[in-house]
Amino acid sequence: SKLAEEGVEFIHGEEVTSTFASGSNPRAAVLQMASGKKVEAEAIVLAAGVGTGRLLSKLSPTGAPPVPLYGMRGHSCTVDVTHMVQQQQQQQHRQQQPRHPEKLV
């Protein structure tokens, strides 16, 4: 997948039992897995539905401020629109090209 090509690691079938600050990277957290594996991450996607808030409070380090959580209703979809941006840029470039007046004789 494109995300994997960009260096994103997907971890399936693992349970996170705790989190703590990384000693080597101030922007990262370390996830402790039930299997004993430790994973350092600068970004984490937590998609646990209605249990997300409870899970966040369980995994947050002691004394950490609450993580803002926004509930949404409905479905979402992510669509790659880079081709539309490229088309728009090409159209703007064509509009900026000087037009040559017709030569009158």
Side-chain angles (χ1 to χ4, degrees):
S1 78
K2 184 170 180 138
L3 291 174
E5 290 172 10
E6 296 290 328
V8 174
E9 180 182 359
F10 294 92
I11 301 172
H12 301 279
E14 287 274 9
E15 178 186 351
V16 177
T17 57
S18 65
T19 61
F20 51 92
S22 169
S24 61
N25 183 349
R27 296 183 47 174
V30 176
L31 306 175
Q32 176 67 54
M33 306 295 182
S35 65
K37 181 179 179 181
K38 293 179 182 177
V39 178
E40 185 175 277
E42 289 187 7
I44 302 164
V45 175
L46 181 61
V50 296
T52 301
R54 187 172 56 252
L55 189 57
L56 279 172
S57 66
K58 176 184 171 190
L59 295 176
S60 295
T62 305
V67 176
L69 182 63
Y70 303 98
M72 297 176 66
R73 183 178 180 155
H75 303 282
S76 65
C77 178
T78 302
V79 180
D80 182 5
V81 295
T82 54
H83 67 284
M84 295 174 69
V85 173
Q86 290 170 350
Q87 287 174 350
Q88 183 181 17
Q89 289 172 343
Q90 289 171 352
Q91 185 179 22
Q92 289 173 348
H93 179 72
R94 281 192 297 260
Q95 290 173 350
Q96 293 173 355
Q97 294 294 323
R99 296 181 184 218
H100 301 286
E102 293 181 24
K103 189 174 184 181
L104 299 174
V105 180

